[in-house]
Amino acid sequence: MIKTHAPSAKVLGNLRNIGIIAHIDAGKTTLTERILYYSGKIHRLGEVHDGTATMDYMPEEQERGITITSAVTSCQWDPCMINIIDTPGHVDFTIEVERSLRVLDGAVGVFCGVSGVEPQSETVWRQSESYHVPKIIFVNKMDRLGADFEIVLDSIVKKLGANPLAIMYPDGEGQEFRGVFDLIGMKRLVFDQETKGTDFSLFDLTDEETDRLGPWREKVIETAADEDEEILDLYLSGEEVPVAKIRAALRKATLARKIVPVLVGSALKNIGVQPVLEAVCDFLPSPLDVPVAVGVDPATKVEKSFKVSHKEPLSALVFKVTMDEGRKLAMMRLYSGSMSAGDTVFNVTQDKPERVARLFRLHAGRREKIDTAFAGDMVAAAGMKFARTGDTLAEKSSPILLEQIADYKPVISLAIEPRNSEEGDKLDEVLEKYLLEDPTLDLKRDEDTDQVILSGMGELHLEVVLERLKREYKLEPRAGKPQVVYQETVTSKAVGKGEFNRELGEVVHFGGVRLSVAPLERGKGCEVSFEFDGEGWPEAWLEAVEDGISDSLQSGVVKGYPVQDIHVRVLGMERKDGESSPVGYRMASAMALKQALGEAGSKLMEPIMWIEIGVPEEFVGEVVGLLGAKGAKIENMVDRAGQKVVQGLAPLSRLFGFSTDLRSATQGRAGFIMKFSRFDVME
């Protein structure tokens, strides 16, 4: 057990909670591996392509060479303690990125030196912007054929609308890539490959190098001068500007999100990683540098917040739940206060007490026991029964409810059935565990076929779940083909009336309800309101009407899918003395709703996906034709970095196998991303 002590403001100022974000295959996990190696956290380098990367600890990740689940680790790079989350780059695992960004203070964006800003890196970048996360950039893979640092910088400006500032510059590109130039200290860094880049040397610049890098150095000084008048005076008088003052000024600009410092290297070739660690310490925020987490008082709904200090009341957000050897682990970020092993805390979201049996610092798949966690920490707790992703933990005497993590609706489903009854019980139990871990999974049972319907964010998402069932629990249920998840809605107004009058168990139950339905805007969900004077009506009867409507909205009249984007108004209720009952009103409201839905032009809504295809100009015709055949509506066509980018909307049901068709139509030269946009009726 590691003893822990309350951190001083100085220690908090040296804490960094960062994420590593990027497009799939940009080199995030390889960079993280080098960071852990050079900081002494691990003593042997693992590789993604060999399936030995520390942070890709799930067998499915090692097999596919991609990151599926956000892994947490920490390392020391004096004077800073750095907590790192390595996030997935694949669109099917967007929720992993979303919930990580929610608890980070800063981020390192990784971009490929050849491909530049790719579609998913653009998506993740915009997600981070919505959380106001300061960032630095590492342009990776500069040793690759076709790498071009300046084109990548240009694509960052054009595609992301960011203001990149190069603080490093490559010494050569592609096969000529040898090292990096430090534009702040004006030195050349050469990394020793015999020590796997652990040792590196600093060299003074030649006159030719100084002249070549002059314009880039000037931009660094000018940016620093914008933040510090003393630097401006030194610069204008031709005096040397101290490196420490430049770094302090650039830190100020980075924290204000005016600039994004850009570094360069090749993580795989062990070049340029240590400067990234220096930049994390120099430019990214500590918990003291970001706005305090704001929530509300659960009783009064009045806005509330605590200072980032262990002396304040506890406030913590559970950003992920995992099952480890059958036990639940709740990963959390502490925003204020402290939490010790053995404490009982209050789960404000669930309105229940939780016992913290043990506390751990995480290192990917391994755990390190600690006594106490403090404000600013990212830790995992074992023993919590009720905690789910997005829950707030606080003190019962001083509760606060933090903003919940964004919700994602599954768009694709799979029917699975056990091979025998014994496997069926175990399957139900295991799937419930997976649902706890992953809020983007959904589980229902088809009453007609008794099949389990598993829903998720994409084909790969569901594929990984099936692989985990087989590997972790030796379960191989029969699975059907992936099917699109639909919803239903109404297209016009209608009125329905229901009357229930029946004897059940020698007791007569009566209820009469009249209601209307009307369509709402897309994405508005369901609203239920009472449009008559309910005074004098028992609360239990009114609640029964609302419950009957809510239950019936789970199964529409077209094909039995959930009903969305609808406003149900209860217009009136009938009563019979001695016979009216909650059961009667619940049944009557369900009957009235079914009648109204039948007359309101109910239609199926399907998942509409936003698609973006980057393609050389000579293949634009093929792409447009292919999209037309898939029922897509082209929304926009723009030029980016010498390519055409075709943007549009298409129904998910038509997009199965689309990536294969696209590769075939464009000789493999098109890049493609799709993400959920909304449920809608496709005309």
Side-chain angles (χ1 to χ4, degrees), residues 292-356:
V292 295
V294 176
V296 296
D297 185 298
T300 64
K301 305 303 178 191
V302 173
E303 196 172 276
K304 187 175 182 180
S305 62
F306 300 127
K307 290 178 186 172
V308 183
S309 165
H310 69 279
K311 295 176 182 176
E312 291 281 301
L314 173 68
S315 64
L317 184 76
V318 177
F319 67 91
K320 186 175 178 181
V321 173
T322 64
M323 300 301 293
D324 185 31
E325 296 174 356
R327 294 194 181 101
K328 186 196 283 189
L329 269 185
M331 296 188 199
M332 67 188 76
R333 161 75 187 265
L334 272 70
Y335 288 101
S336 63
S338 64
M339 180 188 293
S340 296
D343 282 356
T344 296
V345 298
F346 184 54
N347 187 326
V348 185
T349 315
Q350 308 282 349
D351 194 26
K352 289 174 180 172
E354 297 266 24
R355 187 169 180 277
V356 183

Side-chain angles (χ1 to χ4, degrees), residues 503-520:
E503 188 177 306
L504 301 171
E506 298 183 1
V507 177
V508 175
H509 293 273
F510 174 82
V513 176
R514 194 167 67 87
L515 53 74
S516 70
V517 297
L520 287 176

Side-chain angles (χ1 to χ4, degrees), residues 3 12 21 75 88 158 210 222 224 237 287 291 319 411 447 505 531 536 558 627 637 642 673:
K3 298 287 181 187
L12 260 178
I21 59 174
C75 66
K158 287 180 178 173
T210 303
E222 285 168 6
S237 61
F319 67 91
V411 296
E447 291 178 8
E531 307 278 323
V558 181
L627 288 173
M637 200 178 295
I673 183 175

Side-chain angles (χ1 to χ4, degrees), residues 490 494-499 513-518 526-528 545-557 563 566-570 586-600 602:
V490 295
V495 175
K497 188 175 179 182
E499 184 177 291
V513 176
R514 194 167 67 87
L515 53 74
S516 70
V517 297
C526 301
E527 292 178 14
V528 179
V545 169
E546 198 162 353
D547 289 346
I549 291 169
S550 297
D551 286 350
S552 292
L553 286 173
Q554 299 307 307
S555 178
V557 296
V563 182
I566 183 174
H567 188 179
V568 182
R569 292 178 174 88
V570 181
R586 187 175 187 132
M587 300 301 290
S589 61
M591 292 160 68
L593 182 63
K594 291 293 182 192
Q595 186 186 72
L597 291 176
E599 294 179 11
S602 287

Side-chain angles (χ1 to χ4, degrees), residues 74-334:
S74 59
C75 66
Q76 187 78 30
W77 190 262
D78 286 335
C80 290
M81 168 76 169
I82 305 171
N83 290 321
I84 305 168
I85 299 184
D86 176 27
T87 60
H90 197 285
V91 70
D92 280 17
F93 307 103
T94 298
I95 185 72
E96 288 283 341
V97 182
E98 187 84 36
R99 57 189 175 186
S100 302
L101 289 169
R102 175 71 173 78
V103 296
L104 297 176
D105 297 326
V108 180
V110 183
F111 296 96
C112 173
V114 179
S115 308
V117 179
E118 295 174 274
Q120 183 62 9
S121 54
E122 192 172 345
T123 301
V124 177
W125 187 274
R126 300 209 187 287
Q127 282 176 298
S128 73
E129 284 293 287
S130 70
Y131 287 109
H132 310 294
V133 176
K135 293 174 283 293
I136 62 174
I137 285 172
F138 179 60
V139 179
N140 193 23
K141 302 190 178 184
M142 285 305 299
D143 58 310
R144 289 273 188 95
L145 190 65
D148 192 315
F149 181 63
E150 293 181 29
I151 283 181
V152 173
L153 288 182
D154 191 48
S155 74
I156 289 167
V157 174
K158 287 180 178 173
K159 294 184 182 181
L160 304 178
N163 183 20
L165 177 72
I167 59 170
M168 293 273 165
Y169 194 85
D171 182 10
E173 294 176 331
Q175 291 179 333
E176 304 297 314
F177 182 60
R178 296 173 293 277
V180 297
F181 294 109
D182 174 6
L183 296 173
I184 296 177
M186 288 302 274
K187 297 285 184 183
R188 181 162 60 91
L189 282 68
V190 176
F191 294 80
D192 180 11
Q193 292 306 313
E194 286 190 14
T195 62
K196 296 183 178 174
T198 303
D199 298 331
F200 60 94
S201 306
L202 296 173
F203 295 95
D204 291 329
L205 302 186
T206 64
D207 291 342
E208 185 273 327
E209 287 168 344
T210 303
D211 290 343
R212 179 155 53 91
L213 297 173
W216 295 90
R217 163 74 170 181
E218 269 190 35
K219 192 171 179 189
V220 170
I221 300 295
E222 285 168 6
T223 304
D226 285 343
E227 299 296 326
D228 188 322
E229 285 191 17
E230 193 181 332
I231 292 176
L232 181 60
D233 292 340
L234 289 170
Y235 176 52
L236 292 175
S237 61
E239 294 181 53
E240 190 63 36
V241 183
V243 165
K245 286 196 79 65
I246 297 172
R247 290 187 185 279
L250 296 185
R251 174 178 180 78
K252 190 177 169 187
T254 305
L255 296 185
R257 294 171 53 242
K258 294 178 185 175
I259 63 164
V260 184
V262 181
L263 298 97
V264 65
S266 167
L268 189 64
K269 293 294 171 67
N270 311 311
I271 298 174
V273 175
Q274 290 93 327
V276 174
L277 279 162
E278 296 288 345
V280 166
C281 298
D282 287 344
F283 305 122
L284 291 183
S286 76
L288 298 173
D289 297 316
V290 295
V292 295
V294 176
V296 296
D297 185 298
T300 64
K301 305 303 178 191
V302 173
E303 196 172 276
K304 187 175 182 180
S305 62
F306 300 127
K307 290 178 186 172
V308 183
S309 165
H310 69 279
K311 295 176 182 176
E312 291 281 301
L314 173 68
S315 64
L317 184 76
V318 177
F319 67 91
K320 186 175 178 181
V321 173
T322 64
M323 300 301 293
D324 185 31
E325 296 174 356
R327 294 194 181 101
K328 186 196 283 189
L329 269 185
M331 296 188 199
M332 67 188 76
R333 161 75 187 265
L334 272 70

